[in-house]
Amino acid sequence: MFARAANQIAENMVKHGGADVDDKDIHIFGAQQGLVMLLNIITFAVIGLIVGVFWQVVIFACAYISLRIYTGGYHAPTPLKCYISATVMVLAVAMLMRFVDVSGYITIIVLFICGLLISRVSPVDNENKSLDENEKGVYKRKAVIIGFAQISIAFICLHFGLTIVTASIFWAMVSVVILMILEIIMKTRRV
C-alpha cells in the first residue's frame, strides 16, 4: 500500500546514516507499518469529526487497540482490505456512538458478557498470526488484565455519568468480541 514511500524513507535513513544497509528491509517494513498506522489515525479522526464524536472515537481507538493486540480474532488478508474493513467498522461504531444511548443495566450486562468471553476464548489466533502455547498464555493474561481494567473504568465512568467514556469502552469491547467470534466461525468453515 505504501511500498514506494516506505522504500524512500528507508533509503534516506541509510543515506543519512540513520540505518544500516543490511537492515534496510526491516526499516522498509517498519516505515510501511508506520505509514499505515498514520493513515488509520487520520481516517479515524476525520470520521470522528464528521460524525461529531471525535473524543469518543479517540477513546474507542485507545481501548480497542490495546485490547485487540492480545485477544486476536479476524484479520483481513491484505493491508488494503484491513484498512477498508477498519474504516467501515469505525464509521459504524461512530454512528452507533452518536445515536445509541449506552447507559444503565444493559451496558453492565453486555460488558460482563464481553469480559467472560475474553477471559474464556482469547487469544484467537488466525492464519496471519498463529501463536504457540507459551504466547497464548501470555496473551490471555494480558487480555484479561486489560479487559478487566477497561470494564472497571467503564463502570466507574458510568457511575459518575461520564457516558462518553463508558460508551467508547463498551463499543471497543463489543467490536473485539465480534472479531474473535468471527474468526472462530471462519476457522470452523475452513476445516
Side-chain angles (χ1 to χ4, degrees):
M1 202 157 132
F2 291 107
R4 273 201 314 235
N7 190 45
Q8 186 63 44
I9 290 168
E11 283 181 15
N12 285 335
M13 289 174 67
V14 169
K15 181 179 176 182
H16 298 297
D20 188 13
V21 176
D22 296 335
D23 295 333
K24 185 179 173 189
D25 289 341
I26 294 169
H27 295 294
I28 290 172
F29 177 78
Q32 197 165 5
Q33 293 303 109
L35 290 170
V36 168
M37 186 179 294
L38 181 62
L39 177 63
N40 282 324
I41 290 168
I42 292 168
T43 302
F44 298 170
V46 168
I47 289 170
L49 286 170
I50 291 171
V51 178
V53 291
F54 176 78
W55 290 111
Q56 292 95 319
V57 169
V58 169
I59 297 166
F60 166 84
C62 292
Y64 174 81
I65 292 167
S66 65
L67 190 56
R68 174 95 157 106
I69 290 169
Y70 299 107
T71 58
Y74 175 76
H75 283 277
T78 67
L80 180 61
K81 288 180 181 178
C82 178
Y83 172 75
I84 291 168
S85 62
T87 300
V88 169
M89 179 191 70
V90 171
L91 179 60
V93 166
M95 297 300 286
L96 288 166
M97 286 192 278
R98 173 88 176 167
F99 298 110
V100 176
D101 179 35
V102 175
S103 59
Y105 293 112
I106 191 71
T107 303
I108 295 168
I109 293 167
V110 172
L111 284 172
F112 180 73
I113 292 168
C114 287
L116 281 175
L117 287 169
I118 288 168
S119 68
R120 295 281 187 209
V121 179
S122 71
V124 178
D125 58 355
N126 59 52
E127 291 177 337
N128 296 333
K129 185 171 186 178
S130 59
L131 303 170
D132 64 34
E133 290 307 311
N134 185 42
E135 289 172 319
K136 286 181 181 181
V138 170
Y139 277 52
K140 179 181 278 298
R141 279 190 297 282
K142 289 183 179 185
V144 169
I145 291 168
I146 293 168
F148 177 76
Q150 288 184 8
I151 290 170
S152 299
I153 292 167
F155 287 163
I156 291 167
C157 290
L158 184 62
H159 177 73
F160 288 106
L162 301 169
T163 55
I164 288 173
V165 177
T166 301
S168 301
I169 293 171
F170 174 89
W171 291 115
M173 292 195 85
V174 167
S175 299
V176 164
V177 167
I178 288 170
L179 291 173
M180 288 169 53
I181 292 169
L182 180 60
E183 181 61 26
I184 291 168
I185 290 169
M186 292 182 76
K187 276 184 183 179
T188 60
R189 290 189 175 179
R190 286 185 210 124
V191 176

